[in-house]
Amino acid sequence: MIKEINNLEEVSNKEIEAYSNLEKYLSDKKTVIVQRDVEKLKHIDMEIQSWSNKIQTLDAKLKQISSDFEGENLTLNQIIERIEKENKPSELPVLKSKLNNIADKTRRQNKINLELLEHTMKIIENSVNIIANAMAPEVSSYNKRGRKIENNVE
């Protein structure tokens, strides 16, 4: 049981670190979106994808360790309950709380970035419509004799 607890703590610490890095890049992304720096946005998106992949890998490791915990398939909450029942020393309750907090911060930051991107898309769409309307030639209608038709009446 001690080995599994140590493995869970190690992977949890790595996942907290990964979420911290992801949160940093999501915060940077917000600034870059506001600044409209497309090149930096591409770089940040690549970093975000990289950290997201690392988090998925670590999460799979956590689930694997949890499923093999003393031959049982337990959730992290169940493992923490068992550890507390047996009065075993562990950082898992604190690490779980940290993971939940940083995951919530990351979700909120991601939601803000999504809203900023949607707003930016609306601005771009309106700008394109204004430019398209300004560039559209004013068309006059003429009758068969070449005279200009006023108010679309011949």
Side-chain angles (χ1 to χ4, degrees), residues 35-96:
Q35 293 172 346
R36 297 184 179 138
D37 189 337
V38 177
E39 289 304 314
K40 282 185 184 176
L41 186 60
K42 286 180 192 176
H43 171 72
I44 288 174
D45 279 341
M46 287 174 25
E47 288 295 329
I48 288 171
Q49 186 61 48
S50 173
W51 284 108
S52 295
N53 290 341
K54 289 175 186 173
I55 289 169
Q56 285 179 337
T57 301
L58 291 167
D59 194 45
K61 283 183 183 179
L62 274 178
K63 287 178 182 173
Q64 179 63 40
I65 295 168
S66 297
S67 69
D68 294 339
F69 197 81
E70 294 188 331
E72 296 182 53
N73 189 3
L74 302 175
T75 65
L76 191 55
N77 285 336
Q78 292 170 326
I79 293 170
I80 290 171
E81 286 174 14
R82 186 175 283 185
I83 290 169
E84 289 172 347
K85 248 185 217 177
E86 297 179 14
N87 292 323
K88 300 233 187 261
S90 174
E91 291 182 43
L92 279 179
V94 174
L95 294 175
K96 181 182 180 279

Side-chain angles (χ1 to χ4, degrees), residues 47-151:
E47 288 295 329
I48 288 171
Q49 186 61 48
S50 173
W51 284 108
S52 295
N53 290 341
K54 289 175 186 173
I55 289 169
Q56 285 179 337
T57 301
L58 291 167
D59 194 45
K61 283 183 183 179
L62 274 178
K63 287 178 182 173
Q64 179 63 40
I65 295 168
S66 297
S67 69
D68 294 339
F69 197 81
E70 294 188 331
E72 296 182 53
N73 189 3
L74 302 175
T75 65
L76 191 55
N77 285 336
Q78 292 170 326
I79 293 170
I80 290 171
E81 286 174 14
R82 186 175 283 185
I83 290 169
E84 289 172 347
K85 248 185 217 177
E86 297 179 14
N87 292 323
K88 300 233 187 261
S90 174
E91 291 182 43
L92 279 179
V94 174
L95 294 175
K96 181 182 180 279
S97 177
K98 284 182 180 179
L99 269 172
N100 287 339
N101 288 336
I102 197 151
D104 286 342
K105 285 181 186 177
T106 302
R107 278 191 283 281
R108 281 193 304 272
Q109 188 63 51
N110 205 29
K111 183 179 178 193
I112 290 169
N113 288 346
L114 181 60
E115 289 170 1
L116 280 171
L117 286 171
E118 288 172 353
H119 180 71
T120 301
M121 292 300 292
K122 287 178 185 176
I123 291 172
I124 291 170
E125 186 178 331
N126 288 335
S127 297
V128 168
N129 286 338
I130 290 170
I131 291 169
N133 290 337
M135 295 187 72
E138 194 171 312
V139 180
S140 297
S141 298
Y142 295 91
N143 63 16
K144 293 179 186 174
R145 293 184 216 136
R147 292 192 180 154
K148 188 173 183 179
I149 301 172
E150 300 295 328
N151 297 328

